[in-house]
Amino acid sequence: MELCVISTTMTTTAAKAMNPFLPSITRRVSSRLFQSDSVLQFGGRLKKPISPLETTMSCVSRKFGFLGDSMSHGGDFKRIFAAASPAVETSVKEDKLPADLKVTETVQANSSVKLSVEVPKIVCEDCYQRVLTEFMKLSKVPGFRPKTRVPENIIVGFVGRPYVLRATVESILKRTLPHAMESVTGRALKDSIQIVSSFPDMEKAYSQLKTLSYEVVVDVVPELRWNPEDGYKNMKVVVELGEEIDAKKACERQLRQKYKSLGALKIVIDRGLQVGDLAVVDISATTIDDDGSTGQAIPDAESKGFHFDTEEGNKLLPGFLDSITGIRAGESKTFTLVFPESWKQENLRGQRAQFTVDCKELFYRDLPTLDDSLADKLLPGCTTLKEVEETLSKRCQEMEEEAKEQATDNAVLEQIRKMVEVEIPQSLFEEQGRQFYGARLLEIQGSMKLTEDQLASLSSQKAVNEFLETQRESITNIIKQNLAVGDIFKRENLEFSTDELVKEVENSISEFKKHKQEYDEERVKDQVQEILEGAKVLEWLKERAEIEYITR
């Protein structure tokens, strides 16, 4: 049921999952790390730039692995073929090529670079000879002793020309790719490299020309541009505070909720719905076109068996409560409302809609007299209503301070995001998006029991892709915020103490051990470091900002 008005201030849980730099997280680093380690990494820190050597076998094998193909020479050749593609040497400098590669770099959108690589014939021939040598070492060719030199035509005929050709092309790729990547050393992002050339096309070209050309696309560290330059210094920030975080009103709401929980629900018989009642309703809604005809259904505004507490009517679509006031159990009402321009779903803003509400059941609360005798039931340990109110008031004051601090952090982060211009690499977007989706999935699992089929459906690639598309703007904004924070930390030479880092890492690890969870100590350290960096940046920004609070 999406009729409820959602505040622009995130809930604590959602804010933690989507924004790593809230102070409340910094105060509970170890707890947060434990809750999300299996899926969520903190922040938008870039994947570490990689060296050319890290592009080796896995990159080529993921793209062009063909060891599972059927082979006419039987299963043993799968093992031989796997070993016959020489791995990249331990160092690019040690593996000096017979001739230089020609590498042309072309800048592309979203902080990516295309490398067009031309491999000279002499390099291809050298790789071909290496492949033959490896096959000679591993093959038992009739009439020849193991590991002895076998004439080229015989070893090629024994192994099979197609497999030698494939092994040679793969060997050329594995050997030359690290050299080709030298031009983006220190800039390329890990796990972002893609060989975009077709393997069959490369096989064909090599077989005909005895040379090889291929193209590689790699994401690189994005360049941030501040507009205005140094605009994050001495900012003027306006923080909107909703009435839901007002301590006094929050205290009144909590006391009312606790009091209502003590009342018995009784069926309304002789009247219609009025404020204070609870109704069980079915809701359906369709759009209204410009010509007045009904259009499409609005799934997010539909609900079956919705428990509608009329005292919470101000949280619903404006006019909804007034439209159904007086409805009796068994009755149905149809009415028209307009979604306000502030509605969270952009596609519904300003949309006229026809609602139909079927009232299934109607209840009123039979409440006891509110006096000191209810104190212990309202709040265990309290003996008077005054004590209940004072205790709740103190709690709400603390909650208001924390909510105000979170709202301030959100406003500051939103403002610096708007100052940053950056092309976000696709690999970074997908990685962060999947982590955010993982965090959402953990929340769902924590709040309800999922069947295996439900979990499989929610974990499917289709579900993840849909999330990435529908949440593209949110994910992009958060990455921009986090990149901006990281840039400020470096620009202003901010730092935190080693003792602070060590203490928080130790606390986090102790949490993992306590709950018998596996962890990667290096990753935990990186995550804690990001959180501490974010906290330092927010502290630095707020000290220099002019902050104004307004209540909406």
Side-chain angles (χ1 to χ4, degrees), residues 76 138 215 227 283 374 461:
D76 288 343
L138 296 166
E215 291 184 341
N227 186 18
I283 305 171
L374 297 179
Q461 188 63 48

Side-chain angles (χ1 to χ4, degrees), residues 5-24:
V5 177
I6 306 298
S7 168
T8 55
T9 302
M10 281 184 164
T11 63
T12 302
T13 304
K16 286 179 182 178
M18 298 295 278
N19 194 328
F21 299 128
L22 298 180
S24 59

